[in-house]
Amino acid sequence: MLKYILKRFLWMILTIWVIVTLTFFLMHAIPGDPLDMGDTGSSDAASANLAAYYNLDQPLGVQYVTYLKNVATFDFGPSMTSRSRDVNDMIESGFPASLQLGIASLVFSVISGVFLGVFAALRHNKMIDYITMIIAVIGISIPNFIQSMLFINYIAVNVDFFPIARWGTWQHVILPALALASGPMAIIARLTRSNMLEVLTQDYIRTAKAKGLTSFQIVVKHALRNALLPVVTIMGALTAAVLTGSFVIERIFSIPGIGQYFVNSISNRDYPMIMATTVIYSTILVVMMFIVDILYGLIDPRIKLHSKED
Amino acid sequence: MKKSKNLKWLLGTGLMATAMIATGCSGEEEASGDEEGNGEDTATEESGGEGNVLIYNSGNPTSLDPPIGNDEPSYAVLNNVMEGLTRLAKDEATPEPAMAEDWDVSDDGLTYTFYIREDANWSNGEPVTAEDFEFAFKRLANPETASPAAHHAYWIAGAEAFNEGEGSEDDVQVTAIDEKTLEVTLENPVDFFTSIVAMPQLFPVHKDTVESDDSWANNADTFVGNGPFVVSEWAADEYLLIEKNEDYWDADTVQLDGVEYVMIEDANTAYQLYGNDEIHMTGIPSDMAGELVGGPETIQYPRSGIEFQRFNVEMEPFQNRNIRAAFAKAINSQEIVDYITQENQPVMTGYVFDDFQHPNGSTYREEAGDLHEFDLEEAQELLELGMEEEGYDELPEVNLTYSTGDVNHNVAQAVQEMLQQNLGVEIGLENQEFAVFLDAQRELELQYSRSSFLGGYNDPMNYLDNFTTGNPMNRTGWSNEEYDQLVSDSLAETDPEARFDLMIEAEKVFMDDYVIVPLYYYNTTFVKKDNVEDVVRHPVGFVEFKWASME
């Protein structure tokens, strides 16, 4: 087990290095100058001084080595759009908000998704099944920014309990978390339903029924455990996506999270911020996949945690 | 239902704490995060309760360090918590005494002596000295500061060479003669230098603070200012609270207890918050312009800046003046303003912003006269003439390129249709992501492109300078000796009226060559609550709360 973990860890480092390297060369390959002052006018000397300040006047190879060092020490230096602030500060001050929102929506989407999925499977081809799946289809097909606007324009404006936007109390979390959760919830509900349907027809479930177990016991103890495996599989990517914030939701609800940086850093060509968001996202993703692999073993003892060579 | 959400919040916070420890945030940072949260609560309560804190929606300041910020959201704050030698007056954009209570100009117009007022103090209680200004001006020009706004220091003799890495700091001609007397020698005898020193880029900084603390401008506790307000709380990306500075030399004028800048990026959300009385003043969603402009709560400020299109004179068919002029005259800017932007922007009849003050008291445009108008017949004649001159049977393919955006897209489509209807010319449209677009425009890769310019300082030279040969803002390949000469002559001219005559002449040369399609001058549109009065915003300045009041 320990050997397995160590091996996986080394692979994780290698994966992140590949991602960081690819991102570095890709971002330098796209046209556009991060220090362009655009339509306000400037002088060539001022642009050259700025380039020197950010070491952009050095050869790409040298910049690459500096970046690797920064990445290794998790110190990304000053942002190119907000020079007075270090990228680290910006991430640290924005991450808690994104994390709170992400966890709230993750918890909501998993609980309600699994619940709806199981419920639909148990009432297969009945009214409840159809209603649940209609909810799921709506959740997937209405983009969350539309939901957000509907929430603001029709719920928050009329119900004092819900703030329109901004951040600070637990009421502020509810509407954005719901908007963010509806997509993942729908995916989880559909996955759970189809797996449950499959599992429920298998022999061991019939055996359980024959033994006289209650349907609650059958579902929770026997069927769900197997049905959840595919759900767990997608949880890795889903968690990484949800925890790192959502540009659109955070913008519409004016939440001071880090979602904005994933998009703005690229349109501003803010190299240090692009690297930071890449490292954060890929680290969380890789770590989550690792956790998912460990979870497989816990949920399904048939899956052994060791590599083929062992 | 409620209970489970409560539980979720608790669970979320608990998990968050675990995750934060796991991701390596120290306990200290967690605590400061909490403080920020509490801070916001109090700020909101205060503003709701006392009612004399104006809540203004603005972008996130990128830096409160004068030479570094260099953008609208940063200077919207700085302009109210700091002050330069002069400040633009309440009613017109003319400089009046601020940190300097008086000044002398030498006969050759090159040397300015500023006398700093005795009661000018920093927010830490120390006096504002001439040395602070000397330090700040040299810092702006210093290549190591790497200020994107360094060119605003170039008026000072020696500053440009220093910034280009050729001169030395000692050659920058700004000297503190004594504690309260500052002497500045200029490169050219420009009489608008007293407007230049009103700009945030040339605000003083407290020398000892800047020298001892690199991050002094990053938070409310360490920031040292000298303006009508002081920074009291700042949570990045959320809000920034400034409060009245009782020690400001002109504190009696200041009516508000404070201003809370909130950072709501989405215009639609901001408008909803405004409707719910959570914000007192904010910009408007662009798709609501038609509905809101002219309404009782809407206020519009002229903004020095222009929307126009550039021709690349090195690409066919725009090497020909008459073809360029035909395009420009076939585009009806009034229709673009009336049906697309819908913000009542004034249509351009020249190149330079209309409202600059002429030394004789009238405006620049009144003296310069109208140099351009939509003229269908003339456009058709010019096109025919131009095609004949170039021997074209058919016009070479023309593409209009713009940076991605709804308004840009709609304007480009309207232009495409006008050229089709008025000249029978079919043009193609192409959009590019903003940074890619800027790069291509700068490298002269675009044939015909959407353009804009945001003015910085209070003089027509701000515009005319852009199209001198090799200027980074030129981006057309256009070069005209007569024009360059007129611009440099006007910089050397000491007589104010004669200087304006030369600039007017230069603009005529430029407009006559039709390097651009003039569209419209900018303005900025806000909605504000009825009780908000006297929020000042000059065409070249940034928002001013010094005179603002809220009943």
Side-chain angles (χ1 to χ4, degrees):
Chain A
M1 178 76 172
L2 199 68
K3 199 174 164 194
Y4 173 79
I5 291 177
L6 195 73
K7 202 169 169 185
R8 278 301 300 260
F9 184 74
L10 289 175
W11 271 109
M12 274 160 59
I13 303 280
L14 188 71
T15 312
I16 292 172
W17 173 74
V18 170
I19 294 172
V20 164
T21 305
L22 276 177
T23 312
F24 178 85
F25 288 103
L26 278 176
M27 79 185 179
H28 280 273
I30 47 175
D33 178 0
L35 307 171
D36 200 313
M37 258 78 71
D39 298 334
T40 53
S42 183
S43 69
D44 290 337
S47 306
N49 292 333
L50 263 177
Y53 180 89
Y54 286 108
N55 298 325
L56 292 181
D57 54 344
Q58 290 173 5
L60 209 56
V62 178
Q63 291 186 46
Y64 174 62
V65 174
T66 318
Y67 264 125
L68 280 191
K69 262 185 232 160
N70 291 349
V71 169
T73 52
F74 286 100
D75 176 11
F76 296 96
S79 152
M80 286 183 181
T81 43
S82 306
R83 196 166 112 197
S84 286
R85 298 181 70 200
D86 276 348
V87 167
N88 290 40
D89 290 343
M90 292 163 83
I91 300 282
E92 269 164 34
S93 82
F95 201 43
S98 289
L99 208 55
Q100 278 175 346
L101 177 63
I103 288 170
S105 68
L106 200 62
V107 170
F108 179 78
S109 55
V110 170
I111 292 177
S112 54
V114 169
F115 184 76
L116 285 178
V118 170
F119 214 56
L122 293 179
R123 300 281 180 277
H124 185 45
N125 283 341
K126 300 224 169 75
M127 192 54 97
I128 289 176
D129 184 20
Y130 296 137
I131 292 173
T132 315
M133 285 307 109
I134 287 171
I135 293 176
V137 169
I138 290 174
I140 291 176
S141 46
I142 301 184
N144 55 21
F145 68 92
I146 305 258
Q147 295 179 26
S148 305
M149 285 185 207
L150 293 175
F151 285 166
I152 290 183
N153 289 7
Y154 294 101
I155 300 179
V157 166
N158 296 320
V159 184
D160 275 348
F161 178 79
F162 294 110
I164 293 174
R166 305 187 69 186
W167 198 241
T169 66
W170 64 270
Q171 283 107 314
H172 284 98
V173 187
I174 300 171
L175 293 180
L178 284 179
L180 192 56
S182 65
M185 178 194 83
I187 295 170
I188 293 173
R190 290 193 68 98
L191 259 178
T192 312
R193 174 179 172 272
S194 57
N195 289 309
M196 273 302 272
L197 285 176
E198 201 188 311
V199 170
L200 284 176
T201 60
Q202 291 192 358
D203 289 346
Y204 75 96
I205 297 292
R206 212 173 304 143
T207 314
K209 271 186 194 156
K211 271 164 65 186
L213 291 181
T214 64
S215 43
F216 180 81
Q217 279 171 316
I218 293 172
V219 168
V220 173
K221 273 197 171 164
H222 301 283
L224 198 55
R225 228 173 139 169
N226 267 335
L228 276 185
L229 266 183
V231 176
V232 171
T233 311
I234 64 156
M235 281 303 290
L238 203 61
T239 311
V242 164
L243 291 191
T244 47
S246 151
F247 170 71
V248 180
I249 303 258
E250 288 178 8
R251 185 185 156 95
I252 293 178
F253 285 97
S254 195
I255 296 166
I258 58 169
Q260 52 175 323
Y261 301 135
F262 282 86
V263 176
N264 291 340
S265 65
I266 295 173
S267 50
N268 294 331
R269 308 288 190 269
D270 187 348
Y271 296 152
M273 187 53 98
I274 295 178
M275 293 311 298
T277 48
T278 309
V279 169
I280 290 172
Y281 191 87
S282 51
T283 308
I284 295 182
L285 183 64
V286 169
V287 169
M288 286 314 300
M289 306 252 247
F290 176 63
I291 292 177
V292 164
D293 281 356
I294 304 267
L295 280 181
Y296 278 154
L298 296 180
I299 294 176
D300 188 345
R302 287 171 301 183
I303 299 174
K304 291 275 191 301
L305 279 190
H306 50 70
S307 41
K308 279 173 191 160
E309 295 95 309
D310 286 344
Chain B
M1 215 30 205
K2 226 175 182 179
K3 214 173 184 178
S4 77
K5 274 169 191 159
N6 240 324
L7 190 74
K8 229 185 299 166
W9 170 253
L10 281 175
L11 195 67
T13 319
L15 280 171
M16 184 205 83
T18 328
M20 275 182 69
I21 292 162
T23 50
C25 298
S26 72
E28 195 183 79
E29 276 142 7
E30 235 178 292
S32 74
D34 284 343
E35 264 166 37
E36 276 167 21
N38 295 335
E40 195 204 25
D41 289 343
T42 33
T44 323
E45 275 162 32
E46 267 172 23
S47 43
E50 286 175 30
N52 211 3
V53 174
L54 195 157
I55 306 178
Y56 175 79
N57 184 33
S58 161
N60 195 31
T62 54
S63 173
L64 289 189
D65 194 347
I68 311 296
N70 200 41
D71 55 20
E72 175 95 24
S74 305
Y75 288 159
V77 177
L78 264 186
N79 208 24
N80 295 289
V81 296
M82 276 197 167
E83 186 163 274
L85 290 164
T86 61
R87 186 179 280 274
L88 297 182
K90 180 183 172 189
D91 299 318
E92 351 174 74
T94 48
E96 60 178 19
M99 280 293 108
E101 59 184 349
D102 199 9
W103 55 85
D104 292 328
V105 189
S106 65
D107 290 339
D108 60 3
L110 284 173
T111 306
Y112 280 72
T113 312
F114 293 96
Y115 306 100
I116 295 162
R117 60 179 76 247
E118 286 303 317
D119 53 352
N121 289 311
W122 292 105
S123 54
N124 61 6
E126 289 186 30
V128 175
T129 64
E131 208 187 335
D132 291 329
F133 277 98
E134 182 189 330
F135 175 73
F137 289 4
K138 286 181 171 169
R139 186 166 171 258
L140 174 62
N142 193 327
E144 277 170 32
T145 309
S147 167
H151 61 293
H152 290 299
Y154 292 178
W155 305 109
I156 304 169
E160 186 165 3
F162 181 40
N163 189 242
E164 282 169 352
E166 279 153 25
S168 81
E169 182 159 2
D170 296 333
D171 295 335
V172 181
Q173 300 294 306
V174 48
T175 323
I177 306 241
D178 60 40
E179 198 190 307
K180 294 284 187 184
T181 314
L182 182 77
E183 193 181 274
V184 186
T185 305
L186 305 184
E187 194 75 41
N188 292 297
V190 288
D191 58 1
F192 54 86
F193 187 66
T194 47
S195 288
I196 299 286
V197 293
M199 293 166 59
Q201 291 87 343
L202 282 98
F203 281 170
V205 288
H206 185 249
K207 190 181 172 192
D208 294 342
T209 305
V210 175
E211 282 179 334
S212 63
D213 181 5
D214 270 347
S215 57
W216 68 281
N218 295 0
N219 57 65
D221 300 335
T222 51
F223 183 83
V224 178
N226 64 331
F229 297 88
V230 290
V231 183
S232 51
E233 289 171 33
W234 184 10
D237 283 330
E238 284 187 75
Y239 74 99
L240 187 148
L241 180 68
I242 64 175
E243 286 174 315
K244 184 179 176 180
N245 179 3
E246 297 296 343
D247 298 323
Y248 176 61
W249 65 273
D250 196 14
D252 291 347
T253 305
V254 181
Q255 308 275 313
L256 293 175
D257 292 330
V259 178
E260 186 187 345
Y261 297 82
V262 293
M263 293 133 201
I264 318 288
E265 253 189 87
D266 189 80
N268 198 40
T269 305
Y271 187 69
Q272 296 286 1
L273 288 164
Y274 172 84
N276 207 31
D277 291 332
E278 292 178 52
I279 298 179
H280 300 123
M281 189 166 171
T282 183
I284 60 166
S286 61
D287 56 353
M288 289 181 75
E291 189 181 321
L292 290 172
V293 169
E297 295 186 359
T298 304
I299 179 168
Q300 291 196 301
Y301 299 93
R303 166 83 171 90
S304 169
I306 51 172
E307 177 83 17
F308 64 107
Q309 294 168 332
R310 281 183 173 92
F311 293 117
N312 185 340
V313 300
E314 293 173 2
M315 279 190 190
E316 291 203 71
F318 297 124
Q319 79 283 15
N320 184 288
R321 182 263 172 199
N322 290 330
I323 295 178
R324 296 196 300 262
F327 271 62
K329 284 177 186 289
I331 295 167
N332 187 344
S333 317
Q334 191 61 53
E335 286 190 354
I336 292 176
V337 170
D338 287 346
Y339 301 114
I340 298 173
T341 62
Q342 297 187 311
E343 287 193 50
N344 261 337
Q345 290 97 337
V347 161
M348 283 168 78
T349 57
Y351 163 57
V352 174
F353 182 64
D354 287 351
D355 290 347
F356 289 122
Q357 243 184 1
H358 191 275
N360 72 10
S362 62
T363 66
Y364 177 87
R365 185 57 55 204
E366 277 170 43
E367 297 300 317
D370 294 340
L371 304 175
H372 164 76
E373 61 176 352
F374 166 68
D375 189 333
L376 194 50
E377 273 175 38
E378 211 191 329
Q380 288 162 347
E381 284 164 23
L382 283 165
L383 183 68
E384 219 170 294
L385 187 65
M387 287 179 59
E388 209 173 298
E389 282 168 358
E390 298 297 330
Y392 292 144
D393 290 333
E394 207 179 317
L395 207 63
E397 195 188 322
V398 173
N399 274 304
L400 170 62
T401 313
Y402 56 95
S403 54
T404 310
D406 288 347
V407 175
N408 293 349
H409 175 73
N410 293 342
V411 171
Q413 276 192 326
V415 165
Q416 184 184 38
E417 201 179 308
M418 286 176 191
L419 291 173
Q420 156 71 22
Q421 281 185 354
N422 299 345
L423 292 181
V425 172
E426 293 274 0
I427 64 162
L429 299 183
E430 192 188 346
N431 75 83
Q432 294 180 345
E433 191 253 10
F434 188 61
V436 176
F437 170 80
L438 271 183
D439 227 37
Q441 192 182 58
R442 213 178 274 286
E443 299 297 322
L444 296 182
E445 288 164 9
L446 306 178
Q447 183 189 21
Y448 174 36
S449 56
R450 182 256 166 186
S451 299
S452 75
F453 171 64
L454 289 173
Y457 59 89
N458 198 10
D459 193 83
M461 184 50 69
N462 193 197
Y463 285 74
L464 296 169
D465 193 31
N466 289 342
F467 282 92
T468 52
T469 304
N471 189 292
M473 286 298 288
N474 185 311
R475 306 178 204 167
T476 54
W478 186 72
S479 169
N480 183 306
E481 270 178 44
E482 189 190 357
Y483 179 81
D484 289 352
Q485 192 58 45
L486 285 165
V487 170
S488 68
D489 285 353
S490 79
L491 279 170
E493 179 58 58
T494 47
D495 178 65
E497 295 218 13
R499 189 173 76 84
F500 266 75
D501 289 345
L502 286 165
M503 293 195 292
I504 289 170
E505 198 55 39
E507 191 195 21
K508 286 202 173 104
V509 171
F510 176 70
M511 285 304 294
D512 190 58
D513 230 9
Y514 275 104
V515 189
I516 62 166
V517 179
L519 295 176
Y520 54 84
Y521 297 110
Y522 288 138
N523 57 20
T524 26
T525 309
F526 287 86
V527 281
K528 66 165 188 66
K529 297 293 177 189
D530 285 340
N531 58 350
V532 174
E533 300 281 355
D534 292 328
V535 174
V536 173
R537 206 183 150 99
H538 291 302
V540 285
F542 297 90
V543 64
E544 297 259 17
F545 294 109
K546 178 175 171 177
W547 300 282
S549 66
M550 216 167 54
E551 293 286 297

